[in-house]
Amino acid sequence: MKILITGATGFIGQRLVKELLSHGHDLFLLVRPGSTKPRLENVRYVEGNVEESDVIGALSPFKKILPEIDCLVHMAALYDLTATLPELYLKNVVGTQNVINLAKKIPRLKYFHYFSTYAVNPQLKGKVKEEELSKSEHPFPDEYLRTKNDAEHIVRNQLIDGVQTIIHRPGVIIGESKTGLTDKLNGPYYFLNFILKLKSSGLHHRIPVLPLPLRKESLLPLLPVDTLANWVAHIITHPKGHKLRTYHEVSQEKIKTIQFIEEGMRLLGVERPILPIPMEKLFSPFFPLLKMPPEIIFYMQQGIELDRSQIMNDYPELKAPKFSEYFPKTIQWLKEGHL
Ligand SMILES: NC(=O)c1ccc[n+]([C@@H]2O[C@H](COP(=O)([O-])OP(=O)(O)OC[C@H]3O[C@@H](n4cnc5c(N)ncnc54)[C@H](OP(=O)(O)O)[C@@H]3O)[C@@H](O)[C@H]2O)c1
């Protein structure tokens, strides 16, 4: 398949490129003029910018590749909980609309893959189905989620004739399962960093319990980044013929947030009981002092379980490695001084 990819130089994109190459696809990577282009064999670079209404300039020599493309993967986005609404809106919402406009101009396009997020439904509770998308007029815990929700609405409302649309909703993505390696130390890494700092300051000996903004029952929908790349490459390579499909890309194993932190503390040698206090307002003022964005509290306290019916039905062969097998590698990598 000839695949055009946006966001291929990112955390997930770099690993997806390797997986897609191993399946024998021809890849065209859309990169901004001036961006660093990783030295990769068997890929072609296409200069473009998703923020421009004509993503690949009207007079660009790269336009000539469009008639060759069968599949478009749109993963370029701004994933930053502290960025402003205008910055996020331009990249995530306008960027997605621009890429859909580009897709409409690709004459033999058969597949459009869009990267959303598991947290796109922040107002829902209980078991959330893959085809559900909450209304955009509800309040959002942060502007990143507002813009990812808007962008997914755009994708769903503008299905292209003759094109199969696949929406990927990755969970909380952590380092590689075999090495622990990551280049994104956000999300749950903020807590691991906090525990490491507690240990190096010696403060952990003086506190009998560690109060944290958690709900006992909250789940953390983890997936290692190499597993995600492997799954998405498999899904791209083996399409199922649906006009529209959405997949919650999270492990089949249910991990509680409290279990993640307790196990992290055990592996880091800080064995103190956790006191879950699900009161966001109590903790928010302290988070900036700890160099954590208070926005992450929402992600630690989520009251949803992600249904996996569609991914299990279409791809029962996709299984994530066990938490007990890969998490010690995540921690080992951090202990080696990578944080
Ligand atoms: N990481 C996660 O935990 C996670 C979880 C759920 C969903 N997601 C979604 O998965 C996707 C990929 O995430 P990621 O973590 O891999 O992101 P990332 O590492 O921040 O990479 C972002 C990518 O977007 C490209 N980009 C940014 N602005 C662009 C523009 N104006 N035009 C063209 N390309 C542009 C960047 O290119 P440069 O090299 O030029 O900067 C980079 O390749 C995103 O849609 C994100 O919302 C991520």
Side-chain angles (χ1 to χ4, degrees), residues 182-225:
T182 184
D183 29 62
K184 274 226 160 123
L185 290 167
N186 53 13
Y189 285 95
Y190 286 120
F191 281 92
L192 299 176
N193 185 23
F194 169 66
I195 297 162
L196 267 175
K197 285 207 174 113
L198 206 62
K199 190 180 180 190
S200 61
S201 67
L203 263 176
H204 63 296
H205 290 305
R206 289 196 237 154
I207 47 167
V209 287
L210 184 62
L212 285 175
L214 295 175
R215 276 179 217 284
K216 260 190 186 160
E217 65 286 359
S218 286
L219 297 171
L220 195 63
L222 287 173
L223 197 71
V225 66

mmCIF file of all heavy atoms in Angstrom, residues 182-225:
data_model
loop_
_atom_site.group_PDB
_atom_site.id
_atom_site.type_symbol
_atom_site.label_atom_id
_atom_site.label_comp_id
_atom_site.label_asym_id
_atom_site.label_seq_id
_atom_site.Cartn_x
_atom_site.Cartn_y
_atom_site.Cartn_z
ATOM 1 N N THR A 182 11.461 5.689 26.409
ATOM 2 C CA THR A 182 10.411 6.630 25.988
ATOM 3 C C THR A 182 11.061 7.963 25.664
ATOM 4 O O THR A 182 12.162 8.249 26.132
ATOM 5 C CB THR A 182 9.334 6.823 27.075
ATOM 6 O OG1 THR A 182 8.314 7.677 26.552
ATOM 7 C CG2 THR A 182 9.869 7.433 28.348
ATOM 8 N N ASP A 183 10.390 8.800 24.838
ATOM 9 C CA ASP A 183 10.888 10.158 24.700
ATOM 10 C C ASP A 183 9.837 11.152 25.171
ATOM 11 O O ASP A 183 9.939 12.331 24.940
ATOM 12 C CB ASP A 183 11.368 10.474 23.267
ATOM 13 C CG ASP A 183 10.660 9.688 22.201
ATOM 14 O OD1 ASP A 183 9.434 9.844 22.075
ATOM 15 O OD2 ASP A 183 11.325 8.903 21.525
ATOM 16 N N LYS A 184 8.800 10.647 25.840
ATOM 17 C CA LYS A 184 7.750 11.533 26.387
ATOM 18 C C LYS A 184 7.584 11.251 27.864
ATOM 19 O O LYS A 184 7.059 10.212 28.241
ATOM 20 C CB LYS A 184 6.424 11.262 25.684
ATOM 21 C CG LYS A 184 6.248 12.021 24.404
ATOM 22 C CD LYS A 184 4.870 12.653 24.328
ATOM 23 C CE LYS A 184 4.880 13.779 23.330
ATOM 24 N NZ LYS A 184 3.898 13.602 22.293
ATOM 25 N N LEU A 185 8.050 12.165 28.700
ATOM 26 C CA LEU A 185 7.949 11.927 30.142
ATOM 27 C C LEU A 185 6.798 12.734 30.725
ATOM 28 O O LEU A 185 6.984 13.587 31.587
ATOM 29 C CB LEU A 185 9.282 12.281 30.810
ATOM 30 C CG LEU A 185 10.410 11.299 30.458
ATOM 31 C CD1 LEU A 185 11.760 11.837 30.864
ATOM 32 C CD2 LEU A 185 10.163 9.933 31.098
ATOM 33 N N ASN A 186 5.609 12.480 30.191
ATOM 34 C CA ASN A 186 4.432 13.188 30.711
ATOM 35 C C ASN A 186 3.435 12.160 31.262
ATOM 36 O O ASN A 186 3.798 11.016 31.501
ATOM 37 C CB ASN A 186 3.818 14.073 29.614
ATOM 38 C CG ASN A 186 3.537 13.280 28.350
ATOM 39 O OD1 ASN A 186 3.580 12.058 28.367
ATOM 40 N ND2 ASN A 186 3.266 13.949 27.262
ATOM 41 N N GLY A 187 2.211 12.575 31.492
ATOM 42 C CA GLY A 187 1.170 11.655 31.977
ATOM 43 C C GLY A 187 1.602 10.936 33.242
ATOM 44 O O GLY A 187 2.032 11.570 34.214
ATOM 45 N N PRO A 188 1.544 9.603 33.260
ATOM 46 C CA PRO A 188 1.835 8.878 34.507
ATOM 47 C C PRO A 188 3.290 9.014 34.955
ATOM 48 O O PRO A 188 3.610 8.745 36.105
ATOM 49 C CB PRO A 188 1.508 7.429 34.151
ATOM 50 C CG PRO A 188 1.511 7.352 32.680
ATOM 51 C CD PRO A 188 1.175 8.706 32.158
ATOM 52 N N TYR A 189 4.172 9.458 34.026
ATOM 53 C CA TYR A 189 5.579 9.645 34.407
ATOM 54 C C TYR A 189 5.738 10.771 35.435
ATOM 55 O O TYR A 189 6.699 10.793 36.178
ATOM 56 C CB TYR A 189 6.442 9.948 33.176
ATOM 57 C CG TYR A 189 6.684 8.711 32.332
ATOM 58 C CD1 TYR A 189 5.868 8.434 31.249
ATOM 59 C CD2 TYR A 189 7.709 7.820 32.630
ATOM 60 C CE1 TYR A 189 6.071 7.302 30.478
ATOM 61 C CE2 TYR A 189 7.910 6.685 31.864
ATOM 62 C CZ TYR A 189 7.091 6.432 30.793
ATOM 63 O OH TYR A 189 7.297 5.309 30.035
ATOM 64 N N TYR A 190 4.796 11.734 35.448
ATOM 65 C CA TYR A 190 4.899 12.801 36.452
ATOM 66 C C TYR A 190 4.903 12.195 37.852
ATOM 67 O O TYR A 190 5.628 12.636 38.735
ATOM 68 C CB TYR A 190 3.712 13.763 36.334
ATOM 69 C CG TYR A 190 3.777 14.695 35.148
ATOM 70 C CD1 TYR A 190 2.788 14.690 34.174
ATOM 71 C CD2 TYR A 190 4.820 15.617 35.015
ATOM 72 C CE1 TYR A 190 2.828 15.563 33.099
ATOM 73 C CE2 TYR A 190 4.863 16.489 33.942
ATOM 74 C CZ TYR A 190 3.863 16.459 32.986
ATOM 75 O OH TYR A 190 3.912 17.321 31.929
ATOM 76 N N PHE A 191 4.061 11.156 38.066
ATOM 77 C CA PHE A 191 3.981 10.548 39.393
ATOM 78 C C PHE A 191 5.232 9.735 39.709
ATOM 79 O O PHE A 191 5.725 9.762 40.827
ATOM 80 C CB PHE A 191 2.724 9.676 39.490
ATOM 81 C CG PHE A 191 1.506 10.507 39.730
ATOM 82 C CD1 PHE A 191 0.753 10.964 38.669
ATOM 83 C CD2 PHE A 191 1.155 10.883 41.012
ATOM 84 C CE1 PHE A 191 -0.360 11.764 38.886
ATOM 85 C CE2 PHE A 191 0.048 11.689 41.240
ATOM 86 C CZ PHE A 191 -0.706 12.127 40.177
ATOM 87 N N LEU A 192 5.753 9.040 38.703
ATOM 88 C CA LEU A 192 6.966 8.247 38.932
ATOM 89 C C LEU A 192 8.126 9.189 39.269
ATOM 90 O O LEU A 192 8.943 8.921 40.152
ATOM 91 C CB LEU A 192 7.273 7.389 37.703
ATOM 92 C CG LEU A 192 6.173 6.376 37.338
ATOM 93 C CD1 LEU A 192 6.512 5.639 36.050
ATOM 94 C CD2 LEU A 192 5.941 5.375 38.472
ATOM 95 N N ASN A 193 8.170 10.324 38.579
ATOM 96 C CA ASN A 193 9.189 11.339 38.842
ATOM 97 C C ASN A 193 9.059 11.858 40.278
ATOM 98 O O ASN A 193 10.047 11.997 41.007
ATOM 99 C CB ASN A 193 8.996 12.486 37.823
ATOM 100 C CG ASN A 193 10.081 13.537 37.939
ATOM 101 O OD1 ASN A 193 11.169 13.257 38.433
ATOM 102 N ND2 ASN A 193 9.798 14.731 37.483
ATOM 103 N N PHE A 194 7.816 12.107 40.688
ATOM 104 C CA PHE A 194 7.543 12.609 42.032
ATOM 105 C C PHE A 194 8.043 11.601 43.086
ATOM 106 O O PHE A 194 8.702 11.962 44.063
ATOM 107 C CB PHE A 194 6.032 12.859 42.147
ATOM 108 C CG PHE A 194 5.549 13.119 43.532
ATOM 109 C CD1 PHE A 194 5.939 14.265 44.228
ATOM 110 C CD2 PHE A 194 4.689 12.223 44.167
ATOM 111 C CE1 PHE A 194 5.492 14.505 45.516
ATOM 112 C CE2 PHE A 194 4.238 12.447 45.456
ATOM 113 C CZ PHE A 194 4.645 13.597 46.133
ATOM 114 N N ILE A 195 7.784 10.319 42.833
ATOM 115 C CA ILE A 195 8.209 9.278 43.791
ATOM 116 C C ILE A 195 9.743 9.216 43.847
ATOM 117 O O ILE A 195 10.336 9.119 44.922
ATOM 118 C CB ILE A 195 7.612 7.903 43.398
ATOM 119 C CG1 ILE A 195 6.090 7.965 43.481
ATOM 120 C CG2 ILE A 195 8.130 6.797 44.303
ATOM 121 C CD1 ILE A 195 5.381 6.863 42.719
ATOM 122 N N LEU A 196 10.362 9.327 42.677
ATOM 123 C CA LEU A 196 11.842 9.313 42.644
ATOM 124 C C LEU A 196 12.416 10.483 43.443
ATOM 125 O O LEU A 196 13.380 10.336 44.196
ATOM 126 C CB LEU A 196 12.329 9.413 41.194
ATOM 127 C CG LEU A 196 12.592 8.107 40.462
ATOM 128 C CD1 LEU A 196 12.940 8.369 39.006
ATOM 129 C CD2 LEU A 196 13.731 7.332 41.127
ATOM 130 N N LYS A 197 11.779 11.667 43.280
ATOM 131 C CA LYS A 197 12.265 12.860 44.003
ATOM 132 C C LYS A 197 12.068 12.698 45.502
ATOM 133 O O LYS A 197 12.917 13.085 46.300
ATOM 134 C CB LYS A 197 11.521 14.105 43.517
ATOM 135 C CG LYS A 197 12.005 14.554 42.140
ATOM 136 C CD LYS A 197 11.794 16.038 41.963
ATOM 137 C CE LYS A 197 12.425 16.477 40.657
ATOM 138 N NZ LYS A 197 11.414 16.916 39.692
ATOM 139 N N LEU A 198 10.921 12.107 45.859
ATOM 140 C CA LEU A 198 10.622 11.861 47.278
ATOM 141 C C LEU A 198 11.716 10.982 47.870
ATOM 142 O O LEU A 198 12.205 11.204 48.964
ATOM 143 C CB LEU A 198 9.272 11.129 47.338
ATOM 144 C CG LEU A 198 8.431 11.242 48.570
ATOM 145 C CD1 LEU A 198 8.025 12.685 48.822
ATOM 146 C CD2 LEU A 198 7.165 10.392 48.400
ATOM 147 N N LYS A 199 12.114 9.986 47.089
ATOM 148 C CA LYS A 199 13.124 9.046 47.562
ATOM 149 C C LYS A 199 14.479 9.738 47.691
ATOM 150 O O LYS A 199 15.156 9.637 48.719
ATOM 151 C CB LYS A 199 13.230 7.862 46.598
ATOM 152 C CG LYS A 199 14.076 6.771 47.179
ATOM 153 C CD LYS A 199 14.216 5.590 46.310
ATOM 154 C CE LYS A 199 15.087 4.584 47.036
ATOM 155 N NZ LYS A 199 15.480 3.502 46.191
ATOM 156 N N SER A 200 14.857 10.494 46.650
ATOM 157 C CA SER A 200 16.204 11.081 46.695
ATOM 158 C C SER A 200 16.308 12.153 47.778
ATOM 159 O O SER A 200 17.378 12.406 48.308
ATOM 160 C CB SER A 200 16.615 11.620 45.316
ATOM 161 O OG SER A 200 15.719 12.615 44.939
ATOM 162 N N SER A 201 15.150 12.768 48.152
ATOM 163 C CA SER A 201 15.207 13.775 49.224
ATOM 164 C C SER A 201 15.180 13.110 50.606
ATOM 165 O O SER A 201 15.369 13.776 51.618
ATOM 166 C CB SER A 201 14.018 14.724 49.092
ATOM 167 O OG SER A 201 12.833 14.002 49.360
ATOM 168 N N GLY A 202 14.874 11.826 50.658
ATOM 169 C CA GLY A 202 14.794 11.108 51.942
ATOM 170 C C GLY A 202 13.493 11.365 52.678
ATOM 171 O O GLY A 202 13.256 10.829 53.755
ATOM 172 N N LEU A 203 12.608 12.192 52.086
ATOM 173 C CA LEU A 203 11.356 12.574 52.761
ATOM 174 C C LEU A 203 10.422 11.380 52.989
ATOM 175 O O LEU A 203 9.601 11.393 53.890
ATOM 176 C CB LEU A 203 10.610 13.602 51.892
ATOM 177 C CG LEU A 203 10.805 15.076 52.246
ATOM 178 C CD1 LEU A 203 10.087 15.953 51.225
ATOM 179 C CD2 LEU A 203 10.259 15.352 53.641
ATOM 180 N N HIS A 204 10.574 10.368 52.145
ATOM 181 C CA HIS A 204 9.641 9.237 52.238
ATOM 182 C C HIS A 204 9.734 8.522 53.582
ATOM 183 O O HIS A 204 8.791 7.888 54.020
ATOM 184 C CB HIS A 204 9.856 8.262 51.073
ATOM 185 C CG HIS A 204 11.193 7.612 51.050
ATOM 186 N ND1 HIS A 204 12.353 8.317 50.878
ATOM 187 C CD2 HIS A 204 11.558 6.311 51.177
ATOM 188 C CE1 HIS A 204 13.367 7.484 50.899
ATOM 189 N NE2 HIS A 204 12.923 6.259 51.073
ATOM 190 N N HIS A 205 10.893 8.643 54.271
ATOM 191 C CA HIS A 205 11.020 8.000 55.585
ATOM 192 C C HIS A 205 10.164 8.710 56.631
ATOM 193 O O HIS A 205 9.825 8.145 57.643
ATOM 194 C CB HIS A 205 12.482 8.044 56.054
ATOM 195 C CG HIS A 205 13.361 7.136 55.255
ATOM 196 N ND1 HIS A 205 13.097 5.798 55.113
ATOM 197 C CD2 HIS A 205 14.502 7.374 54.543
ATOM 198 C CE1 HIS A 205 14.022 5.238 54.355
ATOM 199 N NE2 HIS A 205 14.882 6.178 53.990
ATOM 200 N N ARG A 206 9.879 9.996 56.357
ATOM 201 C CA ARG A 206 9.200 10.793 57.381
ATOM 202 C C ARG A 206 7.682 10.835 57.226
ATOM 203 O O ARG A 206 6.996 11.365 58.080
ATOM 204 C CB ARG A 206 9.752 12.234 57.335
ATOM 205 C CG ARG A 206 11.169 12.285 57.846
ATOM 206 C CD ARG A 206 11.557 13.698 58.171
ATOM 207 N NE ARG A 206 12.748 14.062 57.412
ATOM 208 C CZ ARG A 206 13.071 15.277 57.079
ATOM 209 N NH1 ARG A 206 12.299 16.277 57.391
ATOM 210 N NH2 ARG A 206 14.188 15.509 56.419
ATOM 211 N N ILE A 207 7.165 10.342 56.073
ATOM 212 C CA ILE A 207 5.704 10.398 55.916
ATOM 213 C C ILE A 207 5.092 8.996 56.071
ATOM 214 O O ILE A 207 5.510 8.061 55.391
ATOM 215 C CB ILE A 207 5.282 11.009 54.556
ATOM 216 C CG1 ILE A 207 6.079 10.378 53.404
ATOM 217 C CG2 ILE A 207 5.406 12.507 54.533
ATOM 218 C CD1 ILE A 207 5.511 10.700 52.058
ATOM 219 N N PRO A 208 4.104 8.888 56.977
ATOM 220 C CA PRO A 208 3.517 7.559 57.216
ATOM 221 C C PRO A 208 2.643 7.089 56.045
ATOM 222 O O PRO A 208 2.615 5.916 55.717
ATOM 223 C CB PRO A 208 2.681 7.751 58.482
ATOM 224 C CG PRO A 208 2.460 9.227 58.607
ATOM 225 C CD PRO A 208 3.539 9.931 57.848
ATOM 226 N N VAL A 209 1.915 8.045 55.411
ATOM 227 C CA VAL A 209 1.065 7.705 54.251
ATOM 228 C C VAL A 209 1.249 8.788 53.192
ATOM 229 O O VAL A 209 1.599 9.920 53.503
ATOM 230 C CB VAL A 209 -0.451 7.631 54.583
ATOM 231 C CG1 VAL A 209 -0.811 6.417 55.386
ATOM 232 C CG2 VAL A 209 -0.924 8.905 55.230
ATOM 233 N N LEU A 210 1.002 8.404 51.950
ATOM 234 C CA LEU A 210 1.135 9.366 50.856
ATOM 235 C C LEU A 210 -0.261 9.712 50.315
ATOM 236 O O LEU A 210 -0.892 8.886 49.639
ATOM 237 C CB LEU A 210 2.003 8.749 49.748
ATOM 238 C CG LEU A 210 2.322 9.649 48.569
ATOM 239 C CD1 LEU A 210 3.116 10.876 48.987
ATOM 240 C CD2 LEU A 210 3.088 8.869 47.509
ATOM 241 N N PRO A 211 -0.768 10.940 50.624
ATOM 242 C CA PRO A 211 -2.091 11.294 50.093
ATOM 243 C C PRO A 211 -1.990 11.666 48.610
ATOM 244 O O PRO A 211 -1.111 12.440 48.223
ATOM 245 C CB PRO A 211 -2.503 12.508 50.933
ATOM 246 C CG PRO A 211 -1.280 12.977 51.626
ATOM 247 C CD PRO A 211 -0.164 12.014 51.434
ATOM 248 N N LEU A 212 -2.847 11.090 47.779
ATOM 249 C CA LEU A 212 -2.817 11.396 46.338
ATOM 250 C C LEU A 212 -4.244 11.611 45.823
ATOM 251 O O LEU A 212 -5.189 11.007 46.345
ATOM 252 C CB LEU A 212 -2.158 10.252 45.553
ATOM 253 C CG LEU A 212 -0.637 10.132 45.650
ATOM 254 C CD1 LEU A 212 -0.160 8.880 44.927
ATOM 255 C CD2 LEU A 212 0.077 11.354 45.087
ATOM 256 N N PRO A 213 -4.376 12.444 44.770
ATOM 257 C CA PRO A 213 -5.726 12.736 44.248
ATOM 258 C C PRO A 213 -6.258 11.586 43.391
ATOM 259 O O PRO A 213 -6.292 11.672 42.169
ATOM 260 C CB PRO A 213 -5.495 13.996 43.394
ATOM 261 C CG PRO A 213 -4.085 13.892 42.954
ATOM 262 C CD PRO A 213 -3.338 13.172 44.036
ATOM 263 N N LEU A 214 -6.648 10.500 44.018
ATOM 264 C CA LEU A 214 -7.053 9.303 43.272
ATOM 265 C C LEU A 214 -8.421 8.809 43.701
ATOM 266 O O LEU A 214 -8.825 9.023 44.846
ATOM 267 C CB LEU A 214 -6.073 8.158 43.569
ATOM 268 C CG LEU A 214 -4.644 8.285 43.120
ATOM 269 C CD1 LEU A 214 -3.872 7.081 43.637
ATOM 270 C CD2 LEU A 214 -4.579 8.332 41.606
ATOM 271 N N ARG A 215 -9.066 8.104 42.780
ATOM 272 C CA ARG A 215 -10.239 7.309 43.154
ATOM 273 C C ARG A 215 -9.769 5.865 43.156
ATOM 274 O O ARG A 215 -9.093 5.446 42.212
ATOM 275 C CB ARG A 215 -11.324 7.442 42.084
ATOM 276 C CG ARG A 215 -12.178 8.638 42.247
ATOM 277 C CD ARG A 215 -13.222 8.692 41.123
ATOM 278 N NE ARG A 215 -13.438 10.065 40.725
ATOM 279 C CZ ARG A 215 -14.147 10.942 41.430
ATOM 280 N NH1 ARG A 215 -14.730 10.564 42.542
ATOM 281 N NH2 ARG A 215 -14.274 12.180 41.028
ATOM 282 N N LYS A 216 -10.161 5.133 44.179
ATOM 283 C CA LYS A 216 -9.694 3.736 44.329
ATOM 284 C C LYS A 216 -9.988 2.895 43.099
ATOM 285 O O LYS A 216 -9.217 2.036 42.705
ATOM 286 C CB LYS A 216 -10.396 3.101 45.529
ATOM 287 C CG LYS A 216 -9.553 3.077 46.776
ATOM 288 C CD LYS A 216 -10.257 2.229 47.800
ATOM 289 C CE LYS A 216 -9.507 2.308 49.125
ATOM 290 N NZ LYS A 216 -10.342 1.909 50.231
ATOM 291 N N GLU A 217 -11.169 3.181 42.484
ATOM 292 C CA GLU A 217 -11.622 2.308 41.391
ATOM 293 C C GLU A 217 -11.158 2.767 40.004
ATOM 294 O O GLU A 217 -11.379 2.084 39.007
ATOM 295 C CB GLU A 217 -13.157 2.155 41.427
ATOM 296 C CG GLU A 217 -13.964 3.401 41.161
ATOM 297 C CD GLU A 217 -13.977 4.416 42.317
ATOM 298 O OE1 GLU A 217 -13.372 4.202 43.381
ATOM 299 O OE2 GLU A 217 -14.604 5.464 42.122
ATOM 300 N N SER A 218 -10.505 3.945 39.902
ATOM 301 C CA SER A 218 -10.121 4.465 38.573
ATOM 302 C C SER A 218 -9.170 3.534 37.845
ATOM 303 O O SER A 218 -8.233 2.989 38.435
ATOM 304 C CB SER A 218 -9.413 5.814 38.718
ATOM 305 O OG SER A 218 -10.340 6.786 39.024
ATOM 306 N N LEU A 219 -9.421 3.392 36.534
ATOM 307 C CA LEU A 219 -8.551 2.541 35.715
ATOM 308 C C LEU A 219 -7.592 3.402 34.914
ATOM 309 O O LEU A 219 -7.922 4.531 34.535
ATOM 310 C CB LEU A 219 -9.406 1.718 34.742
ATOM 311 C CG LEU A 219 -10.378 0.720 35.378
ATOM 312 C CD1 LEU A 219 -11.305 0.138 34.330
ATOM 313 C CD2 LEU A 219 -9.615 -0.397 36.093
ATOM 314 N N LEU A 220 -6.387 2.868 34.654
ATOM 315 C CA LEU A 220 -5.400 3.579 33.830
ATOM 316 C C LEU A 220 -5.221 2.743 32.556
ATOM 317 O O LEU A 220 -4.622 1.666 32.593
ATOM 318 C CB LEU A 220 -4.082 3.694 34.608
ATOM 319 C CG LEU A 220 -3.058 4.694 34.090
ATOM 320 C CD1 LEU A 220 -3.605 6.116 34.167
ATOM 321 C CD2 LEU A 220 -1.770 4.624 34.914
ATOM 322 N N PRO A 221 -5.774 3.229 31.429
ATOM 323 C CA PRO A 221 -5.756 2.392 30.217
ATOM 324 C C PRO A 221 -4.405 2.427 29.504
ATOM 325 O O PRO A 221 -4.221 3.066 28.487
ATOM 326 C CB PRO A 221 -6.867 3.015 29.359
ATOM 327 C CG PRO A 221 -6.965 4.423 29.821
ATOM 328 C CD PRO A 221 -6.490 4.495 31.229
ATOM 329 N N LEU A 222 -3.467 1.684 30.050
ATOM 330 C CA LEU A 222 -2.077 1.740 29.573
ATOM 331 C C LEU A 222 -1.863 0.919 28.307
ATOM 332 O O LEU A 222 -2.510 -0.103 28.087
ATOM 333 C CB LEU A 222 -1.154 1.146 30.637
ATOM 334 C CG LEU A 222 -0.891 1.935 31.897
ATOM 335 C CD1 LEU A 222 -0.088 1.077 32.864
ATOM 336 C CD2 LEU A 222 -0.147 3.222 31.581
ATOM 337 N N LEU A 223 -0.870 1.348 27.509
ATOM 338 C CA LEU A 223 -0.378 0.520 26.403
ATOM 339 C C LEU A 223 1.045 0.973 26.078
ATOM 340 O O LEU A 223 1.289 2.174 25.907
ATOM 341 C CB LEU A 223 -1.278 0.674 25.162
ATOM 342 C CG LEU A 223 -1.095 -0.427 24.118
ATOM 343 C CD1 LEU A 223 -1.660 -1.761 24.599
ATOM 344 C CD2 LEU A 223 -1.754 -0.047 22.795
ATOM 345 N N PRO A 224 2.001 0.042 25.968
ATOM 346 C CA PRO A 224 3.356 0.443 25.566
ATOM 347 C C PRO A 224 3.355 0.936 24.118
ATOM 348 O O PRO A 224 2.594 0.451 23.277
ATOM 349 C CB PRO A 224 4.169 -0.855 25.704
ATOM 350 C CG PRO A 224 3.371 -1.746 26.595
ATOM 351 C CD PRO A 224 1.934 -1.392 26.333
ATOM 352 N N VAL A 225 4.239 1.898 23.836
ATOM 353 C CA VAL A 225 4.233 2.557 22.520
ATOM 354 C C VAL A 225 4.555 1.593 21.375
ATOM 355 O O VAL A 225 3.987 1.708 20.280
ATOM 356 C CB VAL A 225 5.174 3.793 22.528
ATOM 357 C CG1 VAL A 225 6.630 3.420 22.709
ATOM 358 C CG2 VAL A 225 4.981 4.640 21.280
#
